[in-house]
Amino acid sequence: MNEFVAQRLNDILFSSWQHFSLVAQCLVAAAVLAVLAAALAYRSPVLRSAADSISAIGLTIPSFAMIGLLITPLGFGVRPAVVVVGFFALLPILRNAIVGLSEVPASTVEAARGLGMGRIRIFLRIELPLAWPVILAGIRVSGQMVMGIAAVAAYALGPGLGGFIFSGLSRLGGANSLESVVTGVVGVVLLALILDLLLVGLGRLTIPRGIRV
């Protein structure tokens, strides 16, 4: 195992960076879209219910099947990987964003209105900061989930550590096949831990001590 890693260290590090970059960029984009969608939906029971249903149903779609279906319209490579990772990253964040914004006390919002604050200012200064701990919890869940889903992107020749996993599985029983699979799996787990630690640090920097959960 040590010899396998030593011989391919540069490839492993490069694939690890690709994997982490794919997940991180999709996670940022998904968080922005989810917060915007939640801001439009959380005050409407119909839209809130629709968003919850979409989140629940979306999570039941097999990621492997989805990326397979996307190969025809999008081809092989980065594009289907970005779509699949971004789609699954969006769902937990959207649900948590709606929950967090819905739980902001109405009395706090009314007090802000009484001080002459406008709708956008109330959202940015009051509602979003109070909902942020719940939203960030959704981002953490999403990050852990899509770190594994990103490995499936290797089926469509996407970037990341999934290439080691699929390569090993395709020739299981052959030379270094098990080492290849273990390298990919362990790498994904380590990247997930690193990402979660970074998100914990982000929470400590951005969540006031008085409202940390």
Side-chain angles (χ1 to χ4, degrees), residues 171-184:
R171 50 188 175 82
L172 206 57
N176 294 323
S177 59
L178 182 59
E179 288 84 352
S180 183
V181 174
V182 171
T183 297

Side-chain angles (χ1 to χ4, degrees), residues 11-12 14-20 22-23 64 67 81 146-171 177 180-189 191:
D11 290 338
I12 293 170
F14 181 67
S15 295
S16 297
W17 168 247
Q18 285 185 318
H19 198 108
F20 190 88
L22 170 65
V23 171
F64 189 83
I67 200 163
V146 298
M147 191 64 77
I149 290 174
V152 179
Y155 179 71
L157 305 182
L161 290 167
F164 286 94
I165 299 173
F166 276 87
S167 175
L169 291 175
S170 67
R171 50 188 175 82
S177 59
S180 183
V181 174
V182 171
T183 297
V185 171
V186 171
V188 169
V189 171
L191 290 180

Side-chain angles (χ1 to χ4, degrees), residues 65-79:
M66 185 175 182
I67 200 163
L69 292 172
L70 288 174
I71 289 175
T72 300
L74 299 180
F76 290 91
V78 175
R79 286 186 293 179

